[in-house]
Structure formats: structure tokens, C-alpha cells
Amino acid sequence: GAGVSQTPSNKVTEKGKYVELRCDPISGHTALYWYRQSLGQGPEFLIYFQGTGAADDSGLPNDRFFAVRPEGSVSTLKIQRTERGDSAVYLCASSLSIRAEAFFGQGTRLTVV
Amino acid sequence: GQQVMQIPQYQHVQEGEDFTTYCNSSTTLSNIQWYKQRPGGHPVFLIQLVKSGEVKKQKRLTFQFGEAKKNSSLHITATQTTDVGTYFCAVRRSNDYKLSFGAGTTVTVRA
């Protein structure tokens, strides 16, 4: 079946603009994670959903970042007033249950100029 | 920030040799997962360890969970060029569903 799909694959935006990153998880996966990865570093946890609710959003760096998963499937990560420091690869992962293995999408490379 | 430390950060290996990479936590873990990320790719799940002292093998890869459930190791024998990439451990603490990744060990192989 289809894996985790993330769109767009690349996004270039100007400083101060608003962006939305989309994640389409594997069908039936209840858990969904967002991570941010900078060059040479490990994935940095941002937020985790179990179903429709954000079970843990402790990794969101500030209130410019927000994520939703209204129907318990597709999720959108929203970044307001983007800054150059937001440039990174944003990874989405889903898993069948809370403690199961995570399947990652190919990521969205965000560049803020 | 990262809850776990991975050492070494870089591992340069001669093809055919063995090496080990380590993942250490200051707190007791519920479970630990290992992932591999090829250059330009995304993390791909390798294994999950849950029990104290657990050892699992996948062909040339051997994964071990420490007795105190605070550390883990990945040992690769007879390294091949296909082993190139970054190996991450990802951990969950008890009563915490957040999956936190280490900084990874980046492996290069000399043919």
C-alpha cells in the first residue's frame, strides 16, 4: 500500500510569510508525528497526535507553529511569520499504535529566504 | 533537545570490518527503536527492543538493550558499502509516548 505522503516536497518562502505543510499518513494509522531535521542532526520532535487530538505538543518551538489533524487522518503543520531559522526538512511519521514502529514520509524541505 | 546520546558521531569503517555504535540515556527507557537514514533519504525503521537485556539479530546487525534499560548498542559485522548512512536510536521513557531521536552515528565505508 501507499506510504506516508508529504506535500510539497520542497517549499521556498519569503521571511514573514505563512506556510502549510501537509502529511497524509498510512491508512489506519492512529498515531502521527511531526519532526524537524536540520543538516547533520537527528529528527527533532515537534508534536504527536493520537487520533484527532494533540497528545504531546511540547516540541513546538513557539506559538508561530501549529498543527491540526481534524479527522484523525491528514495532518497540516502551519507556520506563521516564517523566519530563516525555520529552514529545515520537516518530517512526518505515522504508526499503527502508540508504541509501534514509525513510518516516515520523504519530508518537506522548507527554505525561508 | 535530545534525551539520548549516541557515540560515536562519525564512524569510518574499512569494508569487511566490524563496528559498534552506542545509545545512552540518563533515564530508564520504555523501549528503544533503531532507524537508518541513507543520504538524502528519510529514516527507515530497523528494530524495536522492549525487554531488559534483549538481543535481536538481523543478518549482520545485532541490537542489544541494556540490563538497566538505559542504553543500547548496534553491532555490524563484515561492513558493506550498503551499510553507509546514519543510524539513529529513538527512545520512549516510561509513561511518555513521545519518540525522541538521538543525533545519530554517520557511517562511511572505505572499499
Side-chain angles (χ1 to χ4, degrees):
Chain A
V4 178
S5 176
Q6 291 189 246
T7 54
S9 56
N10 281 284
K11 176 71 176 178
V12 180
T13 191
E14 292 182 345
K15 179 177 178 293
K17 298 291 188 181
Y18 168 83
V19 296
E20 289 190 354
L21 311 180
R22 176 187 168 106
C23 173
D24 204 335
I26 294 172
S27 178
H29 280 196
T30 60
L32 185 146
Y33 298 84
W34 281 100
Y35 290 87
R36 178 169 69 176
Q37 187 174 30
S38 299
L39 191 63
Q41 298 183 16
E44 173 192 7
F45 173 82
L46 296 177
I47 188 170
Y48 156 67
F49 288 91
Q50 179 62 28
T52 60
D56 188 337
D57 64 357
S58 62
L60 295 177
N62 51 60
D63 61 6
R64 295 187 297 107
F65 289 74
F66 189 71
V68 296
R69 195 187 185 196
E71 298 179 356
S73 178
V74 172
S75 177
T76 305
L77 178 65
K78 308 179 181 190
I79 309 175
Q80 298 178 324
R81 304 183 302 280
T82 52
E83 300 177 356
R84 292 194 178 87
D86 299 335
S87 296
V89 175
Y90 288 80
L91 293 165
C92 175
S94 70
S95 63
L96 192 59
S97 63
I98 294 172
R99 297 190 181 280
E101 65 187 272
F103 293 84
F104 280 83
Q106 293 286 356
T108 294
R109 182 175 299 278
L110 176 66
T111 304
V112 182
V113 297
Chain B
Q2 306 291 353
Q3 299 179 352
V4 292
M5 180 172 292
Q6 284 191 254
I7 51 173
Q9 184 178 0
Y10 298 99
Q11 183 79 55
H12 308 290
V13 189
Q14 180 71 41
E15 190 174 17
E17 291 185 343
D18 304 349
F19 75 90
T20 304
T21 178
Y22 300 89
C23 179
N24 299 312
S25 170
S26 59
T27 58
T28 302
L29 303 172
S30 172
N31 59 40
I32 188 165
Q33 298 177 349
W34 285 89
Y35 291 77
K36 177 183 179 181
Q37 185 173 24
R38 294 182 183 273
H42 60 278
V44 175
F45 175 82
L46 294 176
I47 206 85
Q48 175 167 276
L49 304 170
V50 178
K51 299 177 182 177
S52 169
E54 187 171 15
V55 178
K56 289 187 176 180
K57 294 187 177 183
Q58 287 182 350
K59 297 182 180 179
R60 295 178 296 102
L61 277 61
T62 301
F63 303 84
Q64 186 166 4
F65 204 2
E67 293 290 340
K69 299 185 72 173
K70 289 185 177 181
N71 54 68
S72 179
S73 64
L74 161 58
H75 181 77
I76 299 182
T77 59
T79 303
Q80 299 177 359
T81 55
T82 54
D83 295 325
V84 165
T86 300
Y87 294 82
F88 294 102
C89 62
V91 304
R92 284 190 180 91
R93 294 183 297 184
S94 300
N95 300 318
D96 185 354
Y97 298 133
K98 180 171 68 179
L99 187 62
S100 299
F101 281 73
T105 293
T106 298
V107 176
T108 55
V109 179
R110 299 188 300 274

